[in-house]
Amino acid sequence: MGSWVTRASDRINAVVEAIVAVLMLLLVLDVWLGVSDRYFFHWQLPWPEELARYLMIWAAMLAVSSGISRREHIGLTALILIIPEALRRPILIGMDLVSLALFAYVLWFGIGFAQSGATRQAMIFGTSLQPYYAAIPVSAAIACVQVLLVMIRDMGSYFEPSFEEGVE
């Protein structure tokens, strides 16, 4: 069962990382345009700063699931390593369940938050804020899926990641 879970998690992560890479490229280009406008061209474009904000929110929120899939999120390694082996597995599964509950909570309330953006407009674009606010529930949903897949994949096992493991 672990192999299909690993493949599913890796595929979701590959798509998310590609999207985050595109968002980061757009963010860099947008900020570069804003700085060039301010100091060289003086076009006085009103939108680069606001667009950068929304691109950054989407990229940062989506990147959470990448950290989850690789188990690169914040962990108390020193505490985990001093816990006896027999207790480690249930504690780690419990931590995954708490993480899942947190992201499910964010997803639930994020849906209402995104819906509230439908009646609000971005100051410069004049568009609904709903697509920008949707970053919260979309990212939380992907995080929920990744936490479930990683929890099934690892089944409470813990390993100390090394710097060489990520190098291919």
Side-chain angles (χ1 to χ4, degrees), residues 112-150:
F113 178 69
Q115 288 173 341
S116 75
T119 59
R120 298 179 184 172
Q121 286 190 334
M123 292 175 57
I124 293 176
F125 296 128
T127 60
S128 166
L129 286 175
Q130 190 172 24
Y132 311 116
Y133 286 7
I136 305 298
V138 168
S139 299
I142 296 169
C144 284
V145 170
Q146 283 290 23
V147 167
L148 276 172
L149 292 173
V150 167

Side-chain angles (χ1 to χ4, degrees), residues 10 20 31 44 46 54 74 76 85 92 95 136 138 142 163 165:
D10 289 346
V20 170
V31 170
Q44 297 182 349
Y54 297 133
I74 297 172
L76 300 175
E85 277 294 321
L92 290 172
M95 290 170 61
I136 305 298
V138 168
I142 296 169
F163 293 109
E165 287 180 24

Side-chain angles (χ1 to χ4, degrees), residues 4 26 36 74 90 101 106 117 139:
W4 77 266
L26 292 172
S36 298
I74 297 172
V106 171
S139 299

